[in-house]
Amino acid sequence: MSDQLLVERNSMAAETAQAADAPMVKVSNLVKHFRRADGTTVNAVDDVSIEVMPGQFTVLLGPSGCGKTTLLRCVAGLEHPVGGRVEIRGRTVFDAATKVNLAPEKRGLNMIFQSYALWPHMTVAANIAYPLVCKKVKKSEHAGRVARALEMVGIPELGKQYPSQLSGGQQQRVALARALVSNSDLVLFDEPLSNVDAKVREQLRFELLSMQRELGFAALYVTHDQSEAMELAHSIAVLEKGKVAQSGGPQEIYRKPSSRYVGGFVGTLNEIDGTVRRIDPDGTAVVDTEVGELSAGSVADGVKQGDLVVVSCRPERVELNLVEPNDIANRWQVTVTASVFSGSRTEHVVTFADRDFRLWRSDSVLFETGTAAWVGVATEDLRVLPF
Amino acid sequence: MTALPETLPAGAAPGTQPAAGRSDGSRFTLFSGISLALAIVFMLLAMYPILSVIAGLFFTDGTFNPGAVFSHVLGLPGLWQMLLNTLVIVVVSGAIAVVCGSVLAWLVVRTDARIRWLGGILPLLPFVLPALVGTMGWAMLLSPKTGLVNILIRNILSPLGVHLDQGPLDVYSYGGMIFVYTIYMIPFTFLLVSAGLENSDAQLEEQSRVSGGGVLRTLFRVTIPSVRPSLGAAMLLTVFFGFAFFAGPAVLSTTSGIDILSVRIANILSFSYPADTAGAVGLSTFMLVAVAIVWWIQTRVLRRSNYATINGRGKATEIHLGKLRWLGRLVIILYALIAVVLPFLALLWVSFRGFWSFDWDFTTLSLTQYTTVLFGDAFSSTALITSLLLALLGATVGMFVAAIIARFVRSSPGRVGRAVDILIKVGAPIPAVVLGVGVLLAFGGAPWHLGGTFGILLLAYLVHFMPQATVNADAAAAQVGPQLMEASHISGGGDGRTFLRISLPLMLPDLIAGWSLLFLWMLGELNASIILAGTSNPVLGEQMYLLYFQGYFGKLAALAIIVTIISVIVLLGANLLARRLRGGRLRPGAV
């Protein structure tokens, strides 16, 4: 990217420096319902509170219908919530109690739509210049800033084209340039990568990441793709039926999910039912299960002694051996039912007590179906979740 | 339109209170205020004349005297015969039009008899040759003594030993009237039934064919039942149209002696002295009642028929008619001949010949009538200019307003949007003749004194065509995905900028197509004009009507040909322009 743009960014960052530890977006107790055709109401967003810090990449993650896009659109001002509060840069843009509801154009943010929403009757350059026109930037600056934005997204030669003449990936870049041209410090993304093919998606994801880290805008990003969320996010909010199921950094969400829903959504989860015998002061727990006593390194909030629980672990954290691994705390006997080579790893399915476990190994050793074997999981890799 | 500034603060009150957090969730802005105000103004402009008509029923010369109008109307000579005539002709023509329109629709949509380019323009044919002009053309072809077709038939029959002084066909008869009504009802039935056929699941028919049902069995057992709601709607629409239809019967009614409701209303108001306002008001009530009944039935039928269009997928493989294919094509071509080509040729001949005569004398053909109409005859040339101005102004203003309202209704799913949509369409079922009577009562005298002015015509046209204009504009608005507007708001564009820079340009191709239809309707408008146009502001429809009854057939024909040529140019030009605008971009951003 050009130095000049970077200077502009930095000066803007300096202006807002005093607010560096104040959230860029603060959503408090937001409620939005939709009326179904049969007259019943559905809470699409149900008492949600989240924060987006300046320069941070925050991802709203969840399956379709969990309310993540509705939440994003409420922040943008495109949907009208019925309860709660939205603040942007410390300024209240929506408040149900005091009936404040700022129009989207007055909220000072940018957004990239799932369909890109490029205006087909304007050239690429005119599309990108539009926010500058709206914000009454001097006309003499337009050409230069559009050119710099185009260069930044890697398509400097396409300014005179019409959107319909571009590929999906190029359209995506134009949408990005349009969102970035006015140097906004807040950009919303509504599943922007779901309409391009896998190869382009990976490339764009990488570029988006480096661009965000370099320019330092705050991003609120909606996706249903957990690997996309893991790669991009500083912090993730996993949504379930209009509520925030868990929020935190990608590692925390993956390693320490708060529920089976979150754990299962961000990755594959192996589960064994059990009952908590005791929870030690250091946070480890002993759980009675059908494979005997297991010691788990962490326990989700709210789990108490005597609770029915699920002991969970990730497939890549399970050892698979033909002989008993005496150096691992938790180990039990299994039968291999499938063993498949899938390129970057081998995948195994093992059975014990009518239960399946999935295992991913980085070696390429395959087992015959029916082989008797041992699995072993370290204490730190087992987590106790509410049933 | 003059009422706009007065209505704005009272009706809409933009900015009185931000409506955040309301249950329908819409944000009240200046744009929605303007849209709402426009809708209210047009609703008032439509309702005021109708209320004037109703008030006219009960008040005579300012005193409450409901009995006077009723007894006067019931005492009109031949009242019941006239109502019976109207009812019989409308119902019989409607039934024939449903059958013919359905056959045409089936041929065009489902069979290999379709002629692609003709199928698309079939419903547009009556716009190319307006009903007034077309009916006059048919009068020239089928009048018993001097009609070209009759002369032709007599010339064929006479060597065979059959000698006739006149006929055998007579356009000035029940048959002739029904023929003309049917021609102009067919486009409606064709449109509705072909839409029904396109929406019904073609796989149902294919299943029937696969199960061993032949073409005919499939047609009667599967196809027709599946479009039954469309057939019902088509039947109602023909009745609806038929009661209000004026141009056709206006040409034929007097000579044939078959009195028709719409014609009588215009006659006792515009062509009798003193004008019988009370009679016109009373008769208008009959028409309003008929139309209201049909409107009521129609909304019920349409509501119940929702289920018929659920399965809107699967394009049927076309049915191969074999040798019958050419018969099918002949039927399609025959309709085009009847609706446009034959009457046009008759008028063309008369315009060059100078008077109504079919003597095949090619030596006397000239352009005299055209130069007379354009430069010699002040009334004709003034009418041409007035109508062009009215159509240009009316279509442009109408389409612009309709675009604002359609955009607003689409982007506000809440109660305000629904209210605007209903308000703007309130005037739809009011027949033009009745609207003409109402507008004259409402705005003709004190305090407006608009009688006979350009303004009253423009007002009547706008009010009459606004519901249709909003339907067209809504089709245009539906083409533009909501995210394109949202992206503009996000980029910092307000409502006004978003409408002018994003919505309007993207709707433009379809708006231009809608504009061209509006232009043509206004250019040839007759029903309301005949009541409202004064001698200082003659308009085309009224002028052609007068020329016909004064016997200036040469001038009339020349004027009709000029109107037809303008219509074709506008229609083709608008569609070419729209296609070019659409062509610049592959998809208009359907999100």
Side-chain angles (χ1 to χ4, degrees):
Chain A
M1 76 173 286
S2 75
D3 293 342
Q4 199 181 341
L5 196 63
L6 204 59
V7 170
E8 286 170 24
R9 295 271 171 196
N10 289 342
S11 69
M12 198 174 64
E15 282 167 29
T16 52
Q18 85 282 357
D21 52 349
M24 173 67 67
V25 179
K26 184 167 188 235
V27 175
S28 325
N29 309 103
L30 203 70
V31 179
K32 161 81 188 168
H33 33 238
F34 286 114
R35 208 164 284 123
R36 282 211 189 103
D38 60 10
T40 58
T41 55
V42 190
N43 278 11
V45 176
D46 193 357
D47 197 20
V48 167
S49 301
I50 56 163
E51 284 185 1
V52 181
M53 300 304 287
Q56 294 279 296
F57 204 116
T58 302
V59 170
L60 299 174
L61 178 66
S64 62
C66 72
K68 57 193 189 301
T69 293
T70 308
L71 175 58
L72 187 81
R73 290 169 60 85
C74 287
V75 172
L78 298 169
E79 301 280 353
H80 310 294
V82 292
R85 226 170 120 80
V86 180
E87 286 165 64
I88 296 177
R89 300 181 197 86
R91 171 167 164 240
T92 303
V93 296
F94 173 83
D95 190 337
T98 59
K99 303 216 172 216
V100 174
N101 188 7
L102 248 58
E105 61 266 27
K106 302 204 174 98
R107 296 191 179 193
L109 42 77
N110 282 301
M111 181 163 168
I112 294 181
F113 291 84
Q114 189 170 12
S115 62
Y116 319 137
L118 300 179
W119 301 301
H121 62 301
M122 297 183 184
T123 61
V124 164
N127 262 284
I128 297 172
Y130 187 84
L132 301 177
V133 177
C134 292
K135 297 195 168 99
K136 306 214 163 40
V137 172
K138 260 185 279 167
K139 193 131 201 198
S140 54
E141 289 183 30
H142 288 192
R145 287 178 68 167
V146 168
R148 283 200 297 281
L150 279 170
E151 202 175 309
M152 187 166 59
V153 297
I155 45 169
E157 70 287 357
L158 295 181
K160 291 200 174 71
Q161 306 281 302
Y162 281 90
S164 60
Q165 297 165 313
L166 308 183
S167 70
Q170 289 169 329
Q171 291 185 23
Q172 180 57 264
R173 287 163 196 265
V174 176
L176 194 58
R178 185 175 65 186
L180 298 177
V181 73
S182 55
N183 296 340
S184 172
D185 49 0
L186 174 60
V187 183
L188 311 182
F189 297 83
D190 183 9
E191 308 216 24
L193 300 182
S194 60
N195 280 345
V196 287
D197 59 66
K199 263 273 188 303
V200 179
R201 183 156 59 222
E202 217 156 286
Q203 170 74 13
L204 281 171
R205 193 192 289 175
F206 177 74
E207 288 180 25
L208 182 59
L209 184 68
S210 57
M211 227 175 283
Q212 191 272 335
R213 302 295 192 260
E214 195 175 338
L215 298 175
F217 56 84
L220 186 57
Y221 188 105
V222 162
T223 183
H224 61 264
D225 181 334
Q226 80 279 5
S227 64
E228 198 169 295
M230 297 285 162
E231 266 180 55
L232 291 170
H234 290 113
S235 91
I236 296 176
V238 182
L239 294 181
E240 178 185 14
K241 291 179 188 155
K243 291 179 184 295
V244 177
Q246 188 179 4
S247 59
Q251 301 226 3
E252 185 191 344
I253 299 269
Y254 188 76
R255 296 249 164 79
K256 304 270 166 67
S258 64
S259 67
R260 297 167 67 190
Y261 170 82
V262 173
F265 194 77
V266 298
T268 306
L269 204 63
N270 291 312
E271 299 176 338
I272 312 171
D273 301 346
T275 312
V276 180
R277 184 187 299 171
R278 65 164 197 277
I279 300 176
D280 293 333
D282 65 349
T284 60
V286 176
V287 184
D288 288 319
T289 71
E290 49 209 343
V291 295
E293 178 181 295
L294 294 178
S295 85
S298 68
V299 179
D301 286 349
V303 172
K304 301 183 302 293
Q305 190 172 332
D307 281 0
L308 260 181
V309 292
V310 165
V311 182
S312 69
C313 67
R314 295 292 180 192
E316 68 277 13
R317 310 300 292 182
V318 185
E319 295 289 330
L320 183 60
N321 283 310
L322 287 173
V323 294
E324 184 172 2
N326 289 316
D327 53 338
I328 299 178
N330 305 299
R331 53 185 187 271
W332 61 93
Q333 272 198 297
V334 298
T335 308
V336 178
T337 51
S339 198
V340 181
F341 175 68
S342 74
S344 59
R345 64 186 183 217
T346 53
E347 301 188 6
H348 312 276
V349 181
V350 299
T351 319
F352 57 93
D354 291 338
R355 193 173 283 280
D356 281 343
F357 248 46
R358 305 180 73 84
L359 280 65
W360 298 341
R361 312 293 309 155
S362 55
D363 57 43
S364 51
V365 178
L366 296 177
F367 297 87
E368 272 187 44
T369 304
T371 307
W374 286 82
V375 295
V377 192
T379 300
E380 69 204 52
D381 292 325
L382 279 183
R383 179 167 172 83
V384 180
L385 301 175
F387 187 77
Chain B
M1 298 304 293
T2 48
L4 183 61
E6 291 162 19
T7 325
L8 236 175
T16 43
Q17 185 191 350
R22 282 189 341 190
S23 61
D24 65 350
S26 52
R27 192 187 281 111
F28 212 80
T29 65
L30 186 64
F31 186 75
S32 59
I34 290 173
S35 308
L36 195 60
L38 282 172
I40 289 172
V41 165
F42 273 92
M43 183 212 56
L44 289 177
L45 288 178
M47 290 316 290
Y48 184 23
I50 294 312
L51 292 176
S52 301
V53 170
I54 293 169
L57 272 180
F58 299 100
F59 293 90
T60 312
D61 300 326
T63 55
F64 183 71
N65 188 2
V69 172
F70 283 109
S71 59
H72 172 64
V73 170
L74 294 178
L76 284 175
L79 175 72
W80 300 111
Q81 181 63 43
M82 174 190 74
L83 292 177
L84 189 67
N85 288 343
T86 310
L87 190 67
V88 168
I89 289 177
V90 166
V91 170
V92 173
S93 319
I96 300 173
V98 168
V99 173
C100 295
S102 306
V103 170
L104 281 171
W106 183 72
L107 287 171
V108 168
V109 174
R110 281 283 199 269
T111 73
D112 61 350
R114 77 179 93 187
I115 308 169
R116 252 166 234 290
W117 61 272
L118 197 56
I121 60 168
L122 207 61
L124 293 178
L125 290 180
F127 298 122
V128 174
L129 203 65
L132 176 69
V133 175
T135 309
M136 288 173 176
W138 272 108
M140 291 171 181
L141 289 168
L142 287 184
S143 109
K145 282 201 174 122
T146 47
L148 173 63
V149 172
N150 278 325
I151 295 173
L152 205 68
I153 294 174
R154 289 203 295 269
N155 288 348
I156 292 169
L157 289 182
S158 104
L160 302 174
V162 183
H163 293 284
L164 297 166
D165 293 334
Q166 60 175 47
L169 300 173
D170 183 3
V171 75
Y172 302 114
S173 64
Y174 280 102
M177 301 270 262
I178 288 170
F179 175 68
V180 167
Y181 269 82
T182 307
I183 293 177
Y184 294 99
M185 285 174 174
I186 284 177
F188 295 105
T189 58
F190 172 82
L191 267 184
L192 275 174
V193 178
S194 54
L197 281 173
E198 268 160 14
N199 281 337
S200 78
D201 192 344
Q203 288 180 358
L204 295 177
E205 290 172 33
E206 287 169 358
Q207 180 61 50
S208 161
R209 296 292 298 279
V210 170
S211 309
V215 171
L216 280 182
R217 181 189 295 270
T218 304
L219 180 63
F220 284 104
R221 298 293 294 276
V222 178
T223 312
I224 291 178
S226 77
V227 295
R228 202 181 284 146
S230 301
L231 292 174
M235 186 76 214
L236 287 171
L237 190 62
T238 60
V239 177
F240 197 72
F241 165 84
F243 266 94
F245 190 40
F246 175 70
V251 174
L252 303 176
S253 174
T254 316
T255 316
S256 64
I258 301 170
D259 211 358
I260 296 290
L261 181 58
S262 60
V263 181
R264 177 74 84 90
I265 295 176
N267 279 344
I268 61 177
L269 206 58
S270 298
F271 301 105
S272 62
Y273 190 84
D276 181 3
T277 312
V281 164
L283 292 180
S284 297
T285 313
F286 279 109
M287 194 178 277
L288 273 183
V289 169
V291 160
I293 292 172
V294 175
W295 187 250
W296 181 74
I297 299 173
Q298 190 176 23
T299 49
R300 289 182 62 92
V301 167
L302 289 183
R303 196 176 306 146
R304 269 192 294 127
S305 68
N306 276 347
Y307 67 92
T309 55
I310 295 167
N311 292 320
R313 54 179 175 275
K315 193 86 190 151
T317 48
E318 54 185 30
I319 295 166
H320 293 278
L321 293 179
K323 281 179 190 151
L324 289 175
R325 181 181 178 195
W326 293 104
L327 189 67
R329 294 214 154 153
L330 202 65
V331 170
I332 297 173
I333 292 169
L334 191 66
Y335 176 71
L337 283 178
I338 289 174
V340 172
V341 180
L342 291 178
F344 180 79
L345 289 177
L347 287 164
L348 199 62
W349 173 262
V350 173
S351 75
F352 284 132
R353 189 74 179 79
F355 47 89
W356 184 341
S357 162
F358 291 109
D359 48 10
W360 303 120
D361 182 355
F362 285 88
T363 57
T364 56
L365 299 188
S366 74
L367 289 171
T368 319
Q369 298 303 325
Y370 288 91
T371 51
T372 309
V373 162
L374 287 176
F375 309 109
D377 180 6
F379 271 118
S380 296
S381 53
T382 314
L384 188 61
I385 291 167
T386 310
S387 278
L388 279 173
L389 272 178
L390 271 172
L392 219 58
L393 200 61
T396 310
V397 171
M399 217 57 216
F400 188 73
V401 170
I404 291 179
I405 289 172
R407 182 70 266 155
F408 174 71
V409 169
R410 281 222 158 245
S411 57
S412 0
R415 266 173 297 192
V416 181
R418 267 203 307 280
V420 167
D421 192 35
I422 291 168
L423 291 183
I424 201 72
K425 295 202 169 85
V426 159
I430 303 166
V433 176
V434 179
L435 186 75
V437 172
V439 167
L440 188 67
L441 291 177
F443 299 105
W448 311 93
H449 296 296
L450 289 175
T453 61
F454 187 85
I456 204 169
L457 284 165
L458 184 64
L459 188 137
Y461 287 6
L462 280 174
V463 170
H464 182 54
F465 294 116
M466 186 52 69
Q468 191 55 48
T470 42
V471 171
N472 292 349
D474 181 63
Q479 296 287 310
V480 186
Q483 294 201 335
L484 294 177
M485 268 71 74
E486 290 173 357
S488 168
H489 286 301
I490 292 288
S491 301
D495 279 334
R497 187 196 298 277
T498 300
F499 179 74
L500 291 175
R501 289 283 313 270
I502 309 293
S503 313
L504 196 59
L506 287 171
M507 287 160 75
L508 204 57
D510 294 291
L511 289 182
I512 288 173
W515 179 92
S516 68
L517 291 183
L518 215 54
F519 179 89
L520 298 193
W521 286 328
M522 292 185 177
L523 187 67
E525 213 287 334
L526 174 70
N527 305 25
S529 313
I530 206 134
I531 289 159
L532 294 172
T535 43
S536 56
N537 274 303
V539 292
L540 272 178
E542 180 215 21
Q543 178 64 11
M544 288 193 285
Y545 185 79
L546 293 177
L547 285 174
Y548 184 85
F549 284 102
Q550 290 159 2
Y552 296 109
F553 298 113
K555 279 202 245 177
L556 156 77
L559 210 49
I561 296 297
I562 291 171
V563 172
T564 305
I565 290 170
I566 293 174
S567 302
V568 171
I569 290 173
V570 167
L571 207 57
L572 284 181
N575 279 302
L576 279 178
L577 185 61
R579 191 173 299 178
R580 171 167 294 188
L581 283 175
R582 266 188 219 114
R585 37 187 199 262
L586 295 175
R587 295 181 315 128
V591 178

